[in-house]
Amino acid sequence: LQLVESGGGLVQLGGSLRLSCVATSSVLASYAIGWFRQAPGKEREGVSCISWSGGSTSYADSVKGRFTISRDNEKNTVYLEMNSLKPEDTAVYYCATGLCSWFAGPHGDTHFHSWGPGTQVTVST
């Protein structure tokens, strides 16, 4: 499975972005997908995760109520809709596949694989 993220950019405080995670080499429908982010000098942290069917979603406390994860398996794409963005949301955002039950725990990213190259999100004040 190969994943590629897109949709990042520079946005003002309170703005919105929609990130996409596209599978380029396999059918995405069989995989749960997690979104992670890494800010400079910080460890990579789990943001959100969605089951293979889309029937189950999970969010980090820091983004609950602001971010929404969804998927369109016909388009081989998982989305992360980000609203009410804050400067602390500034990071490189990655998608990967793994077990959603692990994504929010310490070092949860070690349970995921097939990482994309990431997309930069910068929120300015």
Side-chain angles (χ1 to χ4, degrees):
L1 180 67
Q2 291 183 323
L3 302 172
V4 179
E5 306 91 343
S6 64
L10 175 64
V11 63
Q12 289 189 330
L13 174 68
S16 298
L17 284 174
R18 187 176 78 161
L19 306 184
S20 298
C21 171
V22 178
T24 60
S25 63
S26 301
V27 176
L28 193 65
S30 302
Y31 299 90
I33 298 294
W35 281 99
F36 293 78
R37 66 186 181 187
Q38 187 166 24
K42 295 187 176 181
E43 292 188 352
R44 189 155 52 186
E45 63 173 351
V47 175
S48 185
C49 199
I50 189 167
S51 63
W52 68 269
S53 67
S56 177
T57 58
S58 306
Y59 297 91
D61 288 343
S62 59
V63 306
K64 279 181 182 176
R66 300 189 298 122
F67 290 12
T68 303
I69 192 170
S70 62
R71 67 189 300 155
D72 185 338
N73 286 338
E74 290 188 359
K75 294 184 178 179
N76 249 14
T77 303
V78 171
Y79 303 99
L80 186 68
E81 184 76 35
M82 306 187 298
N83 298 312
S84 302
L85 284 163
K86 306 174 181 180
E88 51 264 43
D89 295 319
T90 295
V92 178
Y93 283 70
Y94 302 89
C95 62
T97 186
L99 294 176
C100 285
S101 55
W102 289 99
F103 98 97
H107 306 295
D109 59 334
T110 60
H111 298 278
F112 284 73
H113 59 89
S114 301
W115 294 89
T119 185
Q120 175 71 48
V121 171
T122 303
V123 183
S124 65
T125 56

